[in-house]
RNA sequence: GGUUCCGUAGCUCAACUGGAUAGAGCAACUGCCUUCUAAGCAGUAGGUUCGGGGUUCGAGUCCCUGCGGGAUCACCA
């Protein structure tokens, strides 16, 4: 039984025994004791003064006395105002540690029988991935891993927006200005090449609009009448009509993009169990829209476009199918959602990792799915996260202010290399090992930087102030792991092998050891919390706290100079559990931890 | 304008979902490498939690209001 639960039960007993009052275990909440007071767990008594019919301070004192008297694990207590701080015996902490040490499944909840789907990434195929995508991918991937650790069966998916007006724009520009360029002929990554033509389209489009406006046309009309825009629209229609030539170009250019994306995903270290392509789902979406129209859920306007009226829900009318029959974003999302439930009928929830700029879209999508009669629509969840801002404001791909994902990852690796060389820490590393280390540290710093922040909040990234490697950072935690690894190597070398028997003979702990055990003991709770709130930041914070507290121990307490063999063996076991837990927690963030650095 | 999210140290972020004297990192300053990795540890300084009301034993957190900022309200995705 967990320490917390045990304590809660005893507090509940204390209430019935002392005050003849019923206080249910589930109504009791404990909080960590603040550092300035002695103890580890604090029970706040203010809310229960009514139950105990005594002042909070008095209530705290009575319960404290009861616990000290009746519960072996409780060694002492102190009361500050209405706060009851509980001190567990060292033997209790040793026991807590032993349980964790022996538990092979520590950090993994058992199978809960639930199946969920997590979507993330889901890029358009007209431009390369940027910093915003990095946050998205790291977040979605990490949430999926956290859910797995909580006992869920998780399917990682993405929807690749491979069709639509955006890719048609790149296709038009390439056809007009490309001169047959390919990734091979230019030596450019495919996604970058296609992205260049997307930018080229926009430049040309703007030029044409300006010309039309100069000729006396108003801006709004000009935007619709610009020849290059009309070409893109025409191409989209041709594509939907499966025009062979258009299809071939589309497949070729998407192929370039996928090859480029593969390189980026590989560097990011994210993966997927199944890929969905918009080109395979939008027709299903169209069918559903037509069905919905027949059922009277949707309505048709005079021009033939199909809409849903959401004014009753306090929203607007929303377009589902254009007058020319081509589909929009919403159309394919309807199809995709339905297809996924056909593929995986047992999933209890679908989680969409998409930026908060699309909150309205998902609100509407879920309502539409509900209107269409899909029960599971209520369980769809938009994991909405904040934008990554630059000091200059929002990133805009067409204005060239984006931070490119490939470039940023490379820069991080370079920075890691520079730091490591400055510190002279690559002694004994082969060139290959050194390169791997730089990558591990660079990407680790980047992932940690993006994941330690509450996902719902927008965050700032300053390219001029490169991501730190000291303090609350990925490398700091990685460093702690490397330090422990060195200790464990030495222990193995000199043949120190702790056993359960050794731990039984241990009866005194250092304060820093108890603090670390307290954190270890908290891990499962943090893990559950992280899943509940879809918050990798809770795991990041945990890993940092653990590393920080271990480093304090490392500084204050000697291991190999310890004369007491039992204490020495304990510290080896203890260090090994910390290293494993750091590795697991960081693993949930997609961050590798090195043995040496 | 409607809807919605946000405003915490000079900067980047926390605060166990209403608990104690609001905490970390960076930047600044002071110590600590003959000892298991100094990418570390210890310490100093830094706050009217945007302003003003309210709710209660208790508010950064909940309610109202003012100010400031973001997102969204597309036949873009």
């Amino acid at each position: 039984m967990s320490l917390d639960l045990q304590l809660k039960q005893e507090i509940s007993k204390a209430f019935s025994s002392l005050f003849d009052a019923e206080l249910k275990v589930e109504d009791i909440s404990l909080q960590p004791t603040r550092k300035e007071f002695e103890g580890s767990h604090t029970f706040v008594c203010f809310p229960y003064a009514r139950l105990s019919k005594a002042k909070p301070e008095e209530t705290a004192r009575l319960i404290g006395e009861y616990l000290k008297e009746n519960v072996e694990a409780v060694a002492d207590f102190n009361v500050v105002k209405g706060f009851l701080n509980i001190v567990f015996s060292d033997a209790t902490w040793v026991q807590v540690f032993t349980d964790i040490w022996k538990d092979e499944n520590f950090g993994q909840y058992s199978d809960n029988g639930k199946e969920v789907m997590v979507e993330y990434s889901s890029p358009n195929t007209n431009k390369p991935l940027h910093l915003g995508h990095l946050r998205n991918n790291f977040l979605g991937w990490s949430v999926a891993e956290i859910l797995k650790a909580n006992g869920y069966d998780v399917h990682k998916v993405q929807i690749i927006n491979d069709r639509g007006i955006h890719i048609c724009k790149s296709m038009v520009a390439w056809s007009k200005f490309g001169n047959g360029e390919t990734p091979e002929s230019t030596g450019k990554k495919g996604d970058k090449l296609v992205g260049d033509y997307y930018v080229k389209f926009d430049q040309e489009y703007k030029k044409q609009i300006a010309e039309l406006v100069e000729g006396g046309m108003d801006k709004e009309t000009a935007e619709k009448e610009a020849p290059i825009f009309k070409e893109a629209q025409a191409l989209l229609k041709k594509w939907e009509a499966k025009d062979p030539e258009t299809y071939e170009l589309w497949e070729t250019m998407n192929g370039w993009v996928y090859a480029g994306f593969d390189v980026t995903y590989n560097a990011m270290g994210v993966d997927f169990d199944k890929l969905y392509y918009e080109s395979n789902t939008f027709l299903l979406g169209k069918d559903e829209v037509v069905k919905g129209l027949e059922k009277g859920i949707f309505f048709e306007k005079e021009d033939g476009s199909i809409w849903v009226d959401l004014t009753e829900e306090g929203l607007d009318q929303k377009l589902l199918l254009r007058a020319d029959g081509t589909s929009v974003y919403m159309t394919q999302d309807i199809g995709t959602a339905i297809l996924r439930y056909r593929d995986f009928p047992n999933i209890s929830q679908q989680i969409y990792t998409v930026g908060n700029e699309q909150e309205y879209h998902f609100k509407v999508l879920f309502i539409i799915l509900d209107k269409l009669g899909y029960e599971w629509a209520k369980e769809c969840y938009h994991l909405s996260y904040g934008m990554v801002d630059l000091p200059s404001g929002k990133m805009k791909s067409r204005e060239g202010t984006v931070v490119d994902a490939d470039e940023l990852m490379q820069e991080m690796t370079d920075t890691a290399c520079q730091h490591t060389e400055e510190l002279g820490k690559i002694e004994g590393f082969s060139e290959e090992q050194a390169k791997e280390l730089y990558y591990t540290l660079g990407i680790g710093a980047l992932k940690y930087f993006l994941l330690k922040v509450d996902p719902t909040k927008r965050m700032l990234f300053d390219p001029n102030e490169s991501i730190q490697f000291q303090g609350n950072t990925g490398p700091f935690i990685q460093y702690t792991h490397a330090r422990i690894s060195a200790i464990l190597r030495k222990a193995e070398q000199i043949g120190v092998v702790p056993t359960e028997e050794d731990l039984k003979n241990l009866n005194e702990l250092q304060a820093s050891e108890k603090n670390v055990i307290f954190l270890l003991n908290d891990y499962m709770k943090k893990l559950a919390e992280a899943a509940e709130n879809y918050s990798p930041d809770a795991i990041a914070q945990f890993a940092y706290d653990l590393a920080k507290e271990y480093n304090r121990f490392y500084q204050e307490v000697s291991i190999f100079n310890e004369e007491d063999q039992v204490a020495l063996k304990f510290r080896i076991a203890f260090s090994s559990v910390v290293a494993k837990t750091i590795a697991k927690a960081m693993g949930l963030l997609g961050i590798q931890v090195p043995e040496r650095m």
Side-chain angles (χ1 to χ4, degrees):
Chain A
M1 192 197 306
S2 83
L3 196 59
D4 289 35
L5 184 58
Q6 195 189 334
L7 182 57
K8 285 179 185 177
Q9 285 180 350
E10 296 297 343
I11 290 173
S12 178
K13 275 193 218 162
F15 266 85
S16 77
S17 160
L18 293 170
F19 313 118
D20 196 25
E22 192 193 2
L23 178 58
K24 287 185 189 141
V25 169
E26 54 268 32
D27 293 334
I28 298 174
S29 77
L30 298 167
Q31 50 180 305
T33 305
R34 294 183 73 94
K35 265 190 233 146
E36 58 264 42
F37 305 109
E38 207 199 342
S40 60
H41 293 66
T42 294
F43 177 60
V44 184
C45 293
F46 296 98
Y48 310 110
R50 246 174 257 118
L51 267 180
S52 66
K53 299 192 177 65
K55 286 180 183 164
E57 197 160 354
E58 179 73 359
T59 307
R61 190 180 59 78
L62 289 169
I63 294 171
E65 279 169 4
Y66 175 95
L67 293 174
K68 192 176 174 182
E69 189 91 357
N70 295 290
V71 185
E72 205 192 328
V74 175
D76 205 356
F77 73 96
N78 62 81
V79 175
V80 182
K81 290 190 268 181
F83 297 91
L84 170 60
N85 302 320
I86 292 151
V87 183
F88 285 109
S89 69
D90 283 9
T92 303
W93 287 115
V94 172
Q95 187 57 51
V96 167
F97 172 76
T98 307
D99 289 345
I100 293 171
W101 184 54
K102 287 194 314 195
D103 184 358
E104 283 172 13
N105 294 319
F106 184 68
Q108 175 65 51
Y109 280 96
S110 54
D111 194 346
N112 67 8
K114 284 186 186 159
E115 202 176 323
V116 294
M117 179 173 281
V118 182
E119 174 197 301
Y120 52 92
S121 202
S122 303
N124 291 346
T125 58
N126 61 331
K127 50 180 184 278
L129 303 179
H130 57 68
L131 178 55
H133 293 109
L134 290 176
R135 188 178 196 189
N136 178 305
N137 278 275
F138 296 159
L139 175 62
W141 189 91
S142 177
V143 164
E145 292 299 317
I146 287 167
L147 290 171
K148 278 189 200 170
N150 275 273
Y152 289 87
D153 182 10
V154 181
H155 304 282
K156 301 173 183 171
V157 301
Q158 64 167 327
I159 175 78
I160 298 169
N161 299 297
D162 61 346
R163 47 130 269 136
I165 193 73
H166 52 90
I167 181 71
C168 289
K169 287 177 179 176
S170 290
M171 285 156 66
V172 167
W174 184 84
S175 302
K176 291 177 94 72
F177 312 107
N179 300 318
E181 272 189 10
T182 66
E184 289 75 26
S185 75
T186 56
K188 247 184 197 160
K189 259 181 101 223
D191 52 333
K192 299 271 157 66
L193 184 69
V194 173
D196 288 348
Y197 284 100
Y198 186 69
V199 172
K200 179 75 187 161
F201 175 93
D202 199 60
Q203 288 167 348
E204 192 61 26
Y205 181 40
K206 286 213 172 96
K207 209 161 88 189
Q208 291 187 1
I209 292 170
E211 279 164 12
L212 290 171
V213 169
E214 211 161 292
M217 195 181 279
D218 69 278
K219 201 181 169 212
E220 208 170 305
T221 315
E223 281 170 1
K224 286 179 185 158
E225 293 299 321
I228 196 164
F229 180 68
K230 294 194 116 173
E231 279 182 67
Q233 280 184 314
L235 204 59
L236 179 60
K237 273 192 87 168
K238 276 169 94 174
W239 183 88
E240 291 211 10
K242 291 206 155 78
D243 170 60
E245 202 183 319
T246 307
Y247 235 72
E248 202 189 319
L249 176 59
W250 172 77
E251 279 179 336
T252 302
M253 289 184 73
N254 272 337
W256 295 345
V257 172
Y258 298 148
F261 280 176
D262 279 348
V263 172
T264 310
Y265 283 131
N266 194 36
M268 288 194 288
V270 301
D271 58 347
F272 303 91
D273 299 317
K274 189 169 169 70
L275 305 182
Y276 285 87
Y277 294 88
E278 187 182 328
S279 55
N280 291 329
T281 67
F282 82 105
L283 287 175
L284 178 58
K286 275 182 163 183
D287 286 351
E288 288 288 328
V289 170
V290 172
K291 269 195 234 165
L293 180 65
E294 284 163 3
K295 285 189 201 159
I297 299 167
F298 307 138
F299 71 97
E300 192 169 356
K301 286 198 175 174
E302 278 174 18
D303 64 356
S305 56
I306 300 175
W307 296 69
V308 61
D309 187 357
L310 299 171
T311 45
E312 269 181 40
E313 284 82 3
L315 306 171
D316 293 316
Q317 296 183 344
K318 190 86 186 169
L319 177 84
L320 299 179
L321 217 49
R322 294 189 185 103
D324 66 3
T326 57
S327 61
V328 292
Y329 185 41
M330 189 64 79
T331 324
Q332 59 104 358
D333 264 5
I334 293 170
T336 307
I338 293 166
L339 186 60
R340 283 175 180 168
Y341 275 90
R342 282 187 193 163
D343 289 347
F344 301 94
N346 296 324
I347 52 176
S348 57
Q349 190 187 29
Q350 198 174 160
I351 297 161
Y352 293 86
T353 312
V354 182
N356 62 11
E357 54 192 356
Q358 295 192 35
E359 271 167 11
Y360 184 75
H361 171 79
F362 281 99
K363 206 167 163 184
V364 171
L365 174 65
F366 300 157
I367 292 173
I368 290 174
L369 289 168
D370 186 51
K371 277 179 180 289
L372 286 169
Y374 294 102
E375 275 298 311
W376 43 259
K378 290 179 182 64
E379 304 305 324
C380 287
Y381 179 74
H382 176 202
L383 172 50
S384 167
Y385 64 90
M387 299 288 100
V388 183
D389 287 327
L390 301 175
S392 55
K394 205 182 164 180
M395 284 189 283
K396 296 207 174 91
S397 51
R398 279 181 286 204
E399 290 171 21
T401 57
V402 292
V403 175
D404 181 78
D406 295 318
E407 282 172 24
L408 180 57
M409 288 192 285
Q410 186 57 51
E411 278 168 26
M412 291 303 302
T413 304
D414 293 345
T415 309
C417 171
Q418 192 192 322
H419 276 273
T420 308
E421 281 176 353
E422 274 170 17
L423 291 167
K425 294 227 178 178
I426 41 169
E427 219 176 298
F429 276 74
S430 71
E431 199 171 319
E432 188 119 334
Q433 286 170 323
K435 274 178 92 172
E436 197 186 321
L437 179 67
Y438 304 149
Y439 168 78
T440 301
L441 297 180
I443 299 294
L446 180 59
K447 284 190 181 180
Y448 189 86
F449 179 83
L450 292 171
L451 288 175
K452 75 168 181 191
V453 181
D454 179 349
T456 61
K457 294 192 175 169
R458 65 184 229 259
M459 63 183 296
L460 186 79
F461 175 80
D462 189 345
N464 300 321
E465 251 176 69
S466 64
I467 291 172
Q468 299 287 333
F469 282 67
Q470 280 119 32
N472 188 355
T473 65
F476 167 80
I477 300 166
Q478 291 170 317
Y479 175 70
T480 308
H481 183 269
R483 267 184 154 179
I484 298 176
S485 299
I487 289 171
L488 297 179
R489 279 195 298 272
K490 184 167 174 184
E492 201 182 339
Q493 202 186 336
I494 61 176
V496 179
V497 183
T499 65
E500 198 177 342
E501 205 55 37
D502 294 323
L503 299 190
K504 277 186 183 146
N505 294 321
L506 182 72
N507 37 36
E508 204 189 334
L509 290 172
Q510 302 295 314
S512 55
E513 291 168 339
K514 281 185 270 192
N515 289 340
V516 170
I517 295 172
F518 178 86
L519 286 170
L520 290 172
N521 184 49
D522 224 29
Y523 182 53
M524 295 305 278
K525 211 161 71 189
K526 283 273 153 55
L527 191 54
E529 228 174 78
E532 205 174 314
N533 302 325
Y534 310 98
S535 286
D537 59 310
I539 299 296
Q541 186 64 45
F542 170 84
Y544 175 69
D545 289 341
L546 182 60
K548 181 87 188 156
E549 198 60 47
Y550 182 86
N551 277 320
R552 185 168 295 146
F553 156 82
Y554 182 94
Q555 190 73 25
E556 290 172 359
V557 180
S558 172
I559 295 177
F560 293 108
N561 292 332
E562 174 62 54
E563 286 177 9
D564 179 351
Q565 284 305 298
V566 169
L568 192 156
K569 284 179 171 175
F570 161 74
R571 283 170 199 163
I572 296 302
F574 172 79
S575 298
S576 126
V577 170
V578 171
K580 277 185 197 156
T581 307
I582 285 177
K584 273 180 198 160
M586 293 295 266
L588 295 180
L589 306 178
I591 301 172
Q592 302 299 309
V593 286
E595 301 285 321
R596 291 187 296 159
M597 66 183 272

